[in-house]
């Protein structure tokens, strides 16, 4: 059984396209947390396949799965709750086309299809099975098939003329019933689309409760989910992102497990009152309201049926309605069975019926406690986008976690469990308590091989901290590489200079040592021929001289190695396509680019080049980083990074990198490709000099154009790859 401190992980397949839907999903998780007394963390899977992999690996507690996934995992799940739409937990798929270009099954050949995703039931699998059962094989029938990710995008492709047909789920095989579904995705453009064929029915998609949940937690979730749209707590709008009316447990129809937490039985009351506030009719789904039995209320006053405490606010509202002559609404709180509940009451004068002699009023009272409990997080979400791509946390001054967005839970899975002891929380609190001086670098936390730079903002009402965590791992790696490149460059320059200065003296030394050794050997031979005893003394001198020569030779090898260190390493030349290299470099700078500028790409067909792919990657990464970092983050809304690639008039490859940064002064521009020349204090000044060396080594050119206040344009020109040489015939052995 999982511990109460461990959050329940709820993963959804990637069908949500609008911000408001993501907000509702987050609120749905909060509502479940409120009902369960356990934290529920909602995540959106990047793909249907990723969701299935997480289910198969047993890493999720709950999952919103497709029809096929629900059916596949049902035998090993605690329960599978099917979605209810239009009163049914089955649905069809409809093939949709443009109304002004109607299609039939007989006219599909050669058309273009826009599908949702390979694992989407209504948006791909169901129509595939249907077409194949009619002898229409999609690979042969359609001239083009594309996967666009969501129903909205698929339908928009048909509306725009990019595709001819799309598929969308249909609660009932009826064109009129489809209108509301189409309108929910394309709005006023709904009349421009028309369904022309419906498939057979399949079981609905739904929520899979896995065996990671205890039986008690699973039973509570079944009770909460199957009762969420009928228990009167005002939570129906949370069904919006799923586009459902509720959930049902087909295997146990009509049964519902008891909830862990007792809930007040008040749901909603609808009544018709006469002018004396006696009940002409009164109805409640459960037969109870405000903790009282309200059955058989006809002929009794509101105070008699509901009790004075519950009826008094309603009587006051009736007086206001009579005075104003129109309907009225009132929200109030009431202590019911030891719990404070929130209610919304509406009273409206009824239109007189034939024979009426008195006034009649319509009354509706709803329990909205659930929604009121969610208002505070709703306002917070409205103040800041839920879909912020980087981790965002809100902390109390004691380190208690008040809120963390989905990106934070993904990046830091132990955040809820570790609480105030999590390194990220400790760093933020330390930063706030210490009162950092203005201009001091932001704190950086190293976790699991990644670097997170924190931005901490003070919250005053209530007191707390808002913490933004930015993944700066790539930047740290680039900084480390630049520092290393700086050191290696300095070492190479020093090695080249030292080697050059030492080489000549060493040459003289070795030559003179060789000359002295030869002369002493000749002198020793002469002394031995004359029988002079001093010849033996010369042998010791020659031995010392030989050791000196050996040491000088070793020193020569060391100098040679130092000079080798200063040379450019060998490169692996191959035929390289430039566009993938450019795309990969753009992905690497995405984190930096997101906060500084908007990207504009203009890529055309390019010939291949003969180059070392690693060196080309280094070249474009240097140029792109230099351009991005030259732009002020404070003007991100106006900054533009433009990257263009095309073929020049003589067949050469041309790549342009243009920024809208501060530009360069003429004296800096004239030396921009020299080592250690830079316009930014934090830069080593090596990036452009290394880039220039790479381009020139490939027989190309690198040009820079810049004006102060207008930005900089860097243009790379590279020769196209040489024609492949014809292989020579093999020589036969003689």
């Amino acid at each position: 059984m999982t511990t109460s401190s461990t959050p329940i992980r709820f993963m959804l397949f990637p069908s949500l396209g609008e911000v408001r839907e993501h907000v509702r999903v987050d609120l749905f998780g909060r509502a479940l947390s409120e009902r369960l007394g356990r934290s529920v963390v909602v995540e959106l899977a990047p793909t249907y396949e990723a969701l299935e992999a997480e289910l198969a690996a047993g890493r999720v507690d709950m999952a919103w799965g497709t029809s096929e996934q629900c059916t596949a995992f049902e035998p090993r799940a605690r329960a599978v709750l099917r979605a209810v739409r239009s009163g049914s937990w089955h649905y069809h798929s409809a093939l949709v086309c443009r109304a002004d270009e109607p299609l039939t099954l007989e006219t599909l050949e050669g058309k273009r299809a826009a599908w949702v995703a390979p694992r989407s039931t209504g948006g791909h699998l169901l129509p595939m099975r249907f077409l194949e059962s009619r002898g229409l094989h999609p690979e042969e029938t359609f001239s083009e098939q594309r996967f666009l990710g969501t129903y909205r995008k698929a339908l928009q492709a048909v509306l725009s003329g990019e595709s001819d047909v799309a598929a969308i789920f249909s609660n009932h095989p009826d064109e009129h019933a489809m209108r509301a579904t189409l309108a929910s995705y394309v709005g006023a453009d709904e009349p421009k689309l028309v369904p022309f064929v419906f498939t057979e029915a399949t079981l609905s998609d739904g929520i899979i409760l896995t065996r990671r949940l205890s039986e008690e937690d699973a039973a509570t979730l079944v009770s909460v989910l199957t009762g969420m749209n009928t228990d009167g707590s005002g939570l129906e709008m949370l069904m919006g992102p799923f586009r459902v009316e509720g959930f049902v447990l087909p295997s146990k129809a009509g049964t519902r497990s008891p909830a862990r937490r007792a809930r007040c039985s008040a749901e909603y009351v609808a009544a018709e009152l006469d002018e004396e506030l006696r009940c002409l009719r009164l109805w409640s789904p459960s037969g109870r309201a405000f903790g009282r039995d309200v059955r058989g209320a006809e002929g009794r006053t509101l105070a008699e049926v509901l009790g004075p405490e519950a009826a008094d606010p309603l009587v006051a509202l009736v007086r206001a309605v009579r005075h104003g002559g129109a309907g009225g609404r009132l929200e109030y709180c009431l202590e019911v069975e030891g719990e404070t509940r929130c209610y919304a009451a509406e009273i409206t004068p009824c239109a007189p019926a034939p024979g009426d002699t008195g006034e009649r009023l319509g009354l509706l009272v709803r329990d909205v406690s659930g929604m009121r409990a969610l208002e505070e997080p709703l306002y917070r979400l409205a103040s800041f986008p839920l879909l912020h791509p980087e981790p965002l946390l809100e902390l109390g001054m004691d380190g208690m976690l008040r809120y963390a967005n989905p990106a934070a839970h993904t990046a830091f899975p132990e955040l809820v469990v570790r609480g105030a002891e999590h390194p990220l929380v400790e760093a933020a609190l330390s930063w706030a308590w210490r009162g950092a001086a203005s201009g001091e670098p932001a704190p950086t936390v190293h976790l699991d091989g990644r670097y997170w730079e924190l931005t901490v903002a003070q919250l005053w009402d209530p007191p707390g901290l808002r913490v933004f965590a930015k993944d700066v791992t790539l930047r740290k790696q680039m900084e480390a590489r630049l520092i290393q490149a700086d050191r290696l460059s300095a070492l190479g320059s020093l090695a080249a200079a030292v080697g050059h200065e030492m080489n000549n003296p060493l040459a003289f030394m070795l030559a003179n040592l060789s000359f002295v050794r030869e002369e002493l050997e000749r002198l020793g031979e002469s002394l031995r021929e004359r029988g002079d005893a001093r010849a033996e003394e010369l042998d010791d001198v020659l031995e010392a001289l030989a050791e000196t020569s050996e040491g000088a030779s070793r020193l020569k090898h060391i100098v040679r190695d130092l000079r080798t260190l200063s040379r450019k390493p060998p490169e692996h030349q191959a035929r390289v396509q430039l566009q993938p290299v450019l795309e990969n470099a753009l992905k690497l700078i995405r984190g930096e680019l997101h906060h500084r500028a908007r990207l504009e790409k203009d890529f055309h067909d390019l010939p291949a080049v003969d180059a070392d792919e690693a060196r080309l990657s280094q070249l474009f990464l240097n140029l792109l980083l230099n351009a991005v970092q030259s732009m002020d983050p404070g003007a991100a809304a106006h900054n533009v990074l433009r990257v263009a690639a095309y073929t020049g008039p003589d067949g050469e490859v041309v790549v342009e990198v243009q920024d809208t940064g501060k530009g360069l002064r003429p004296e800096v521009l004239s030396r921009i490709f020299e080592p250690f020349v830079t316009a930014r204090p934090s830069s080593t000044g090596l990036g452009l000099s290394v880039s220039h060396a790479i381009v020139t080594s490939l027989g190309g050119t690198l040009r820079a154009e810049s004006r102060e206040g207008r930005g900089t344009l860097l243009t790379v020109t590279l020769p196209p790859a040489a024609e492949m040489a014809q292989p020579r015939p093999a020589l036969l052995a003689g």
Side-chain angles (χ1 to χ4, degrees), residues 342-478:
C342 298
Y343 296 93
E346 297 181 29
I347 293 181
T348 306
C350 297
D356 278 353
T357 58
E359 177 188 45
R360 290 187 302 128
L361 298 172
L363 168 67
L364 178 66
V365 184
R366 297 176 57 84
D367 183 339
V368 293
S369 304
M371 285 309 301
R372 292 299 167 265
L374 291 173
E375 277 187 343
E376 183 179 344
L378 177 61
Y379 289 140
R380 178 167 58 242
L381 288 170
S383 68
F384 192 85
L386 172 69
L387 297 184
H388 186 62
E390 295 173 343
L392 163 66
L393 295 77
E394 286 186 9
L395 308 172
M397 295 307 295
D398 58 352
M400 182 185 71
L401 181 65
R402 293 178 183 164
Y403 174 73
N405 68 351
H409 288 295
T410 301
F412 314 114
E414 296 182 350
L415 186 62
V416 174
V417 176
R418 298 184 66 177
E421 296 179 357
H422 194 279
L424 198 76
V425 178
E426 291 178 340
L429 291 175
S430 175
W431 174 263
W433 289 337
R434 184 164 51 84
S438 177
E440 184 174 337
T444 301
V445 179
H446 186 218
L447 284 174
D448 300 325
R450 307 202 71 79
Y451 291 89
W452 298 92
E453 184 179 84
L454 306 186
T455 301
V456 185
Q458 186 79 43
L459 299 176
W460 302 105
D461 187 19
L465 301 174
R466 177 170 285 170
V467 183
F468 298 87
K470 180 181 179 182
D471 189 348
V472 294
T473 306
L474 178 61
R475 192 182 77 194
K476 289 289 184 182
Q477 292 172 346
M478 291 300 301

Side-chain angles (χ1 to χ4, degrees), residues 489-513:
S489 178
L491 179 60
S493 300
L494 179 62
V498 170
H500 179 75
E501 292 297 326
M502 293 180 66
N503 205 42
N504 289 338
L506 276 174
F508 300 149
M509 186 186 300
L510 287 169
N512 289 336
L513 285 172

Side-chain angles (χ1 to χ4, degrees), residues 504-646:
N504 289 338
L506 276 174
F508 300 149
M509 186 186 300
L510 287 169
N512 289 336
L513 285 172
S514 178
F515 171 75
V516 170
R517 185 175 181 180
E518 290 174 1
E519 288 298 311
L520 287 177
E521 286 176 349
R522 187 179 60 78
L523 179 59
E525 290 294 328
S526 176
L527 290 175
R528 288 189 184 90
E529 289 175 0
R530 289 185 291 176
D532 194 328
R534 289 178 294 180
E536 295 180 2
E537 297 175 3
L538 280 178
D539 289 337
D540 293 333
V541 175
L542 286 170
E543 184 177 351
L545 194 60
E547 292 176 356
T548 304
S549 296
E550 182 181 353
S553 296
R554 290 179 61 190
L555 188 58
K556 180 180 179 181
H557 286 102
I558 291 172
V559 171
R560 184 188 64 190
D561 291 340
L562 282 173
R563 297 185 70 185
T564 301
L565 180 64
S566 67
R567 295 179 190 146
K568 184 174 66 175
E571 297 177 346
H572 174 67
Q573 294 278 347
R575 184 154 293 195
V576 179
Q577 297 293 335
L578 271 186
Q579 184 162 335
V581 177
L582 276 170
E583 295 283 5
N584 188 56
L586 286 169
K587 289 179 183 177
L588 291 176
I589 67 158
R590 183 168 48 193
E592 287 282 339
L593 180 63
H594 176 73
H595 298 286
R596 291 179 181 263
R598 182 181 76 257
L599 175 64
E600 291 183 358
K601 294 192 303 183
D602 185 18
F603 290 173
H604 299 268
D605 292 337
L606 299 171
V609 297
D610 290 328
D612 177 15
E613 185 171 349
R615 300 279 279 172
L616 278 181
S617 297
Q618 181 184 4
L619 161 67
F620 292 121
L621 192 58
N622 285 346
L623 298 184
L624 292 169
L625 276 176
N626 188 77
V628 170
Q629 293 173 356
S630 68
M631 292 183 280
D632 182 8
H638 305 288
N639 292 337
V640 176
L641 172 66
R642 180 180 176 273
V643 184
Y646 56 93

Side-chain angles (χ1 to χ4, degrees), residues 271-281 297-302 318 322 347 350 356-363:
E272 185 180 353
L273 309 174
D274 64 14
E275 57 187 2
E276 301 297 330
L277 299 187
R278 287 191 297 267
C279 299
L280 301 176
R281 282 179 290 275
E298 288 75 8
R300 295 193 291 164
T301 65
L302 275 182
V318 169
R322 285 174 172 169
I347 293 181
C350 297
D356 278 353
T357 58
E359 177 188 45
R360 290 187 302 128
L361 298 172
L363 168 67

Side-chain angles (χ1 to χ4, degrees), residues 482 618-627 630 657 659 664 668-669 671-680 683-696 701-706 712-716:
L482 287 173
Q618 181 184 4
L619 161 67
F620 292 121
L621 192 58
N622 285 346
L623 298 184
L624 292 169
L625 276 176
N626 188 77
S630 68
V657 178
D659 63 69
L664 301 172
V668 176
L669 181 62
R671 303 177 55 214
I672 195 62
F673 298 126
E674 295 178 15
F676 308 110
V677 174
T678 179
R680 300 193 312 276
S683 173
T684 62
L686 288 172
L688 289 180
S689 62
V690 170
S691 300
H692 188 267
I694 294 173
V695 173
T696 54
T701 61
L702 176 58
R703 302 191 313 274
E705 304 172 34
S706 184
T712 302
L713 170 64
L714 294 169
T715 305
V716 178

